[in-house]
Amino acid sequence: MGRDWFDRSDAATLAQPQRLCFFFNAQIHQLFHALPIAIALSRDPGFAVDVMAATDDHLALARDIATTQGAGPIRFLRCGGRWLDALAGLTGATIPPKIASLIAARRQLAEYDAIVVPERTSLLLKRLGLSKTRFIHSCHGAGDRAVGYDRRIAQFDFVLLAGEKQRRRMLDEGLIREGHYAISGYNKFDLTRPQDGRNRLFAQDRPVILYNPHFSPKLSSWPTMGEDVIHQFARDDRFNLIVAPHVRLFDNRRKRAAMERQLADLASLPHIHVDLGSRASIDMRYVHMASLYLGDVSSQIYEYLARPRPCLFLNGHRADWQEDRSYGHWHYGPVLASTRGITDAAAAAIADHAAYVDAQRQGVARTFGNLDAHSASSAGMRAARALSHYLQRSQTAARPALDGLPRLELAAHA
């Protein structure tokens, strides 16, 4: 990011930097959806940027990413104390209970001009006394399901969107209003680069199937189909299989350990790789190396389709999906109601991919816009620019006029 982006008027430079906190109160994968904005703003002298998180694991990953990306000054803070770790330990969860983290962090967070979060539970802080703090939402995914259009989004002061699909639907549902949102792109793409890593996982160079079941018990293919999928690919030597569920499916450490033991024999096969929650399962490296995406309702399908490739979907919950926009992505490949002959179905989906290419490209364009056109600047830069404009505009509007002079609108140069 060039320094010219941060040129400001003399009036702006005289002001104290605005204090921003990027608060991570949920599972670790959400770092990828907001940290690029923190990194971009950390290079702007008009902002003092902190990253606050609920666990040491979050902070270790955040520091690593910030260092790799050449961030400016960022403070990395733990919220609460070690008693939060004890609470998580009682249940085996990877994060403390969200409400407990919010209560623990309330006083610290009250010191900031704005808080940026990729989830919605943190809005409870408004009821805990943070009525003057501005809340900024960075969406954590760009899928089709209704959960991505939570009514609580309307309570945010400013919303950062991945593309036109989100903008239209949120406007239609009254979740955003003009002047209080911006389309800035998909932040996670800033931190990941396509690479062919097949040889680092598998001895044989075969088509790689990525099985990415969702965590929702009502929507995921895992409860009724998951293990059968693995067993069938284990018996078929045409493919390499990566089993990388949404990180929340085995968010509980005890359940994860139990499932790893249960799948140990299958995972030991040379063409089966099982990852129930490592960093590799959240940083898109599996998405980049896959030849076919096998899944259900996860928004990760759009991360995969940034480079159109074959897909195959599992309808394990008997959804009547054809006219339901929450299943819009199921028009990008065949949809199966059974796992019978799943490996042959995978081979057919690869062979017949041409029939779905146009639909995939149109879906990606609606979701992210023209990715090639965005290559000149990162999503984090665009989000930082939009957020800077909004916060300066809001700060100016809130400042009393001096000596009868009109208020100035302070805006960073685009």
Side-chain angles (χ1 to χ4, degrees):
M1 185 181 298
R3 296 298 302 175
D4 290 345
W5 185 74
F6 299 122
D7 289 346
R8 298 175 184 273
S9 69
D10 291 340
T13 56
L14 291 174
Q16 290 294 319
Q18 292 200 62
R19 297 197 60 195
L20 303 186
C21 183
F22 287 74
F23 182 55
F24 297 97
N25 188 35
Q27 285 77 13
I28 198 166
H29 67 292
Q30 292 194 0
L31 282 171
F32 289 86
H33 295 286
L35 196 59
I37 311 169
I39 291 169
L41 286 170
S42 72
R43 305 183 185 115
D44 183 343
F47 298 95
V49 176
D50 292 350
V51 168
M52 186 183 300
T55 76
D56 289 335
D57 289 343
H58 284 68
L59 295 180
L61 178 56
R63 286 191 183 97
D64 182 38
I65 293 172
T67 299
T68 300
Q69 296 293 316
I74 297 178
R75 289 198 310 167
F76 296 90
L77 309 171
R78 266 292 298 264
C79 72
R82 296 299 168 185
W83 62 274
L84 287 177
D85 293 337
L87 282 179
L90 290 175
T91 62
T94 60
I95 59 169
K98 288 184 180 181
I99 303 300
S101 295
L102 291 176
I103 293 172
R106 179 180 61 85
R107 290 186 179 179
Q108 289 172 281
L109 291 172
E111 301 173 0
Y112 294 96
D113 297 297
I115 300 169
V116 183
V117 293
E119 46 80 55
R120 273 83 74 175
T121 307
S122 295
L123 285 168
L124 289 172
L125 289 164
K126 288 190 172 186
R127 301 182 186 178
L128 296 176
L130 277 68
S131 58
K132 296 181 180 179
T133 304
R134 294 181 180 88
F135 283 78
I136 315 300
H137 186 39
S138 168
C139 299
H140 62 273
D144 299 316
R145 292 193 306 127
V147 70
Y149 303 89
D150 190 318
R151 298 301 305 172
R152 292 175 293 177
I153 293 174
Q155 299 176 41
F156 283 92
D157 298 288
F158 197 78
V159 180
L160 295 161
L161 306 173
E164 183 65 15
K165 178 179 73 178
Q166 286 183 329
R167 188 188 77 88
R168 287 184 179 179
R169 187 163 175 180
M170 288 192 187
L171 282 174
D172 288 346
E173 298 186 16
L175 304 181
I176 55 176
R177 61 195 189 280
E178 294 299 335
H180 294 264
Y181 73 85
I183 294 177
S184 54
Y186 199 63
N187 295 305
K188 191 173 182 180
F189 288 155
D190 290 3
L191 305 180
T192 61
R193 294 291 182 269
Q195 56 184 328
D196 186 348
R198 286 177 291 179
N199 293 332
R200 291 194 292 273
L201 283 181
F202 302 107
Q204 298 294 322
D205 186 13
R206 301 162 173 154
V208 174
I209 311 300
L210 171 60
Y211 179 38
N212 175 229
H214 198 252
F215 63 88
S216 170
K218 295 181 179 180
L219 301 174
S220 176
S221 59
W222 182 262
T224 58
M225 298 177 165
E227 291 188 57
D228 187 47
V229 167
I230 304 173
H231 279 282
Q232 289 193 52
F233 278 100
R235 295 191 296 266
D236 194 309
D237 63 2
R238 289 177 291 174
F239 305 100
N240 293 319
L241 176 70
I242 299 172
V243 181
H246 190 289
V247 69
R248 289 185 60 185
L249 182 60
F250 293 103
D251 184 46
N252 184 287
R253 298 181 192 276
R254 296 169 190 166
K255 292 181 179 178
R256 175 179 171 180
M259 182 55 65
E260 286 175 340
R261 291 192 295 270
Q262 187 172 329
L263 298 177
D265 289 344
L266 293 168
S268 68
L269 297 173
H271 63 297
I272 304 291
H273 180 78
V274 177
D275 186 340
L276 303 185
S278 78
R279 176 172 176 175
S281 74
I282 60 175
D283 67 7
M284 286 183 58
R285 71 183 71 181
Y286 298 148
V287 165
H288 289 315
M289 68 178 69
S291 307
L292 179 140
Y293 180 95
L294 175 61
D296 34 61
V297 299
S298 176
S299 64
Q300 289 180 64
I301 181 61
Y302 285 101
E303 298 174 5
Y304 170 82
L305 285 177
R307 178 163 56 91
R309 283 164 287 168
C311 305
L312 186 61
F313 301 102
L314 296 173
N315 186 358
H317 52 288
R318 299 181 180 179
D320 182 11
W321 61 272
Q322 286 82 355
E323 303 301 324
D324 188 339
R325 62 180 175 178
S326 290
Y327 294 91
H329 54 289
W330 280 11
H331 293 281
Y332 305 150
V335 179
L336 306 179
S338 165
T339 57
R340 184 178 303 169
I342 187 72
T343 56
D344 288 338
I350 292 173
D352 297 337
H353 176 231
Y356 296 95
V357 170
D358 286 346
Q360 291 178 355
R361 287 177 176 160
Q362 291 170 18
V364 168
R366 286 192 300 270
T367 301
F368 302 125
N370 185 340
L371 292 174
D372 290 336
H374 290 167
S375 60
S377 65
S378 69
M381 285 175 60
R382 294 189 295 274
R385 183 182 297 115
L387 188 52
S388 175
H389 279 238
Y390 166 72
L391 291 173
Q392 289 177 53
R393 187 172 70 243
S394 300
Q395 185 183 54
T396 303
R399 185 185 303 131
L402 298 176
D403 300 327
L405 295 176
R407 297 184 179 120
L408 299 173
E409 180 171 332
L410 306 177
H413 295 294

